[in-house]
Amino acid sequence: MRRRSLLIAVPAGMVTLAACGDDDSGSSAADATETPQASASSASPPKIVDGPLPAITAGTEFGEKPTVAKGSGDPSKDLAVKTAIAGGGKAVAENDFVVAHYLGQIWDTAKVFDNSYDRKTPLVIQLAQGSIIEGWRYALAGKKAGSRVQFSVPPTWGYGEQGNEEAGIKGTDTLVFVVDVQDTFNARSSAQGKAVPQDDAALPKVGTNTDGKAPSIEVPEADAPKKLVAEYVLEGDGAEVGAENSVLVQYKGVVWDSGKEFDSTYGRKQLTSFSLQQVVKGWSQGLTGKKVGSRVLIVIPPDLGYGDSPPQGSGIEKDSTLVFSVDILAKM
């Protein structure tokens, strides 16, 4: 089962981050994502009921890989949802990005068709129409981070009559999920790390606000550095990002010479996710080894950015040095 089995569409990375020129990869983040899976949808939300749901027989603590019994009798035709463990974190809302570990199995056979626990990396996915099967959208809405949620998804709210052949899911199968919601992010999210002194007068100064608003970037009246700069502004305490990872971020980019902003997730009011293998070298090198929960200043010289081939319509001139503030919210 491929890791992206829950997806029916994938948010694309912004064109101004996509690798180009003589970079090792010539594709965008979206190009590298596996083929989206089809999903059923309905004009009206499902009815949510309490059960029936099979018992969780082992791994009953939050974050533990669960073992779930085979379904007994006929499953509900509605969406059955139960909060097995109630968390006290932020509530999940429509269009949020959710960080979660999960296990999925088939009601009739108890066959596990996918789980993230064995991969030791949680899924990061947007609860948006067209991005994930509908059962997840409705089952997790309103649940709080730190919660374990168990739910059963009939075909109407899963993969529909076509099922999912690769996963061994038939068009008549009801699916059972156990989901540990670790965190949730939206367009108002910021890194929450500890502020690090910005003492180098030759480097830009980045704002340390954590209110979800775009931080300021003050570029000094000095020559741009010739080498890549990647420094903590806020240092988080999460796991380090590897070169092979994808990340969920807030970011803002300006041109060194003019200080003019050319791209920002804050302005779009939409977080962005992408693979570090599919962006300009300055981003992939600058974020590798940095911790989740951090805000990072990245100054990218032309040879690690776009050189003499900036994206058309980006507002970036040839051979520009670029300055970014990047909040690493999660790694994928």
Side-chain angles (χ1 to χ4, degrees):
M1 182 68 175
R2 293 185 298 186
R3 184 181 177 193
R4 296 288 184 178
S5 60
L6 294 171
L7 287 172
I8 63 172
V10 181
M14 298 309 297
V15 67
T16 52
L17 296 180
C20 65
D22 64 353
D23 200 356
D24 294 336
S25 170
S27 61
S28 71
D31 295 332
T33 308
E34 296 163 344
T35 304
Q37 301 294 321
S39 172
S41 63
S42 176
S44 58
K47 179 181 179 181
I48 296 179
V49 297
D50 294 333
L53 287 166
I56 300 174
T57 58
T60 57
E61 298 298 319
F62 183 87
E64 291 184 335
K65 178 183 176 181
T67 300
V68 183
K70 179 181 176 181
S72 177
D74 294 330
S76 175
K77 300 298 182 184
D78 299 312
L79 186 64
V81 182
K82 172 185 176 182
T83 300
I85 299 172
K90 295 175 291 185
V92 176
E94 178 78 2
N95 296 317
D96 279 6
F97 282 84
V98 173
V99 182
H101 271 300
Y102 71 98
L103 178 141
Q105 69 182 46
I106 297 172
W107 177 282
D108 289 335
T109 64
K111 176 188 175 183
V112 175
F113 58 84
D114 196 14
N115 89 88
S116 66
Y117 300 92
D118 289 345
R119 291 190 293 269
K120 302 186 185 307
T121 300
L123 178 72
V124 182
I125 197 163
Q126 188 176 23
L127 291 189
Q129 186 174 20
S131 294
I132 192 171
I133 59 174
E134 298 287 84
W136 272 62
R137 282 183 62 210
Y138 291 107
L140 295 184
K143 304 303 181 185
K144 293 183 177 180
S147 296
R148 167 167 284 191
V149 185
Q150 183 183 13
F151 51 98
S152 67
V153 181
T156 301
W157 307 105
Y159 295 103
E161 295 180 356
Q162 75 275 11
N164 185 319
E165 183 177 357
E166 183 183 359
I169 298 170
K170 301 190 297 292
T172 56
D173 284 336
T174 290
L175 311 178
V176 178
F177 290 96
V178 176
V179 178
D180 288 334
V181 182
Q182 297 188 331
D183 214 337
T184 181
F185 299 101
N186 57 35
R188 299 178 300 279
S189 296
S190 290
Q192 298 292 324
K194 181 180 179 180
V196 175
Q198 301 179 66
D199 298 329
D200 192 339
L203 293 180
K205 299 295 185 292
V206 178
T208 57
N209 57 296
T210 58
D211 55 2
K213 296 180 181 179
S216 59
I217 300 178
E218 299 177 7
V219 181
E221 294 184 2
D223 292 337
K226 302 299 183 183
K227 295 184 179 180
L228 177 72
V229 174
E231 302 285 349
Y232 284 120
V233 176
L234 302 172
E235 184 173 359
D237 58 4
E240 291 187 358
V241 175
E244 74 284 357
N245 290 139
S246 294
V247 289
L248 177 69
V249 300
Q250 286 267 40
Y251 72 89
K252 173 181 173 180
V254 304
V255 178
W256 180 286
D257 288 342
S258 65
K260 180 180 178 181
E261 179 181 312
F262 60 86
D263 197 9
S264 170
T265 56
Y266 303 94
R268 293 191 298 275
K269 302 186 187 304
Q270 176 63 61
L271 303 179
T272 291
S273 61
F274 51 80
S275 167
L276 290 189
Q277 299 181 30
Q278 304 297 332
V279 290
V280 294
K281 290 179 180 179
W283 267 72
S284 57
Q285 294 177 18
L287 292 183
T288 297
K290 294 297 189 287
K291 299 174 186 176
V292 173
S294 299
R295 176 171 298 164
V296 183
L297 163 68
I298 306 180
V299 181
I300 303 179
D303 62 319
L304 296 179
Y306 301 111
D308 61 0
S309 301
Q312 186 175 5
S314 65
I316 301 172
E317 300 293 335
K318 293 182 179 180
D319 298 319
S320 291
T321 295
L322 307 179
V323 182
F324 288 94
S325 169
V326 185
D327 283 18
I328 309 171
L329 301 178
K331 76 171 185 175
M332 306 156 72

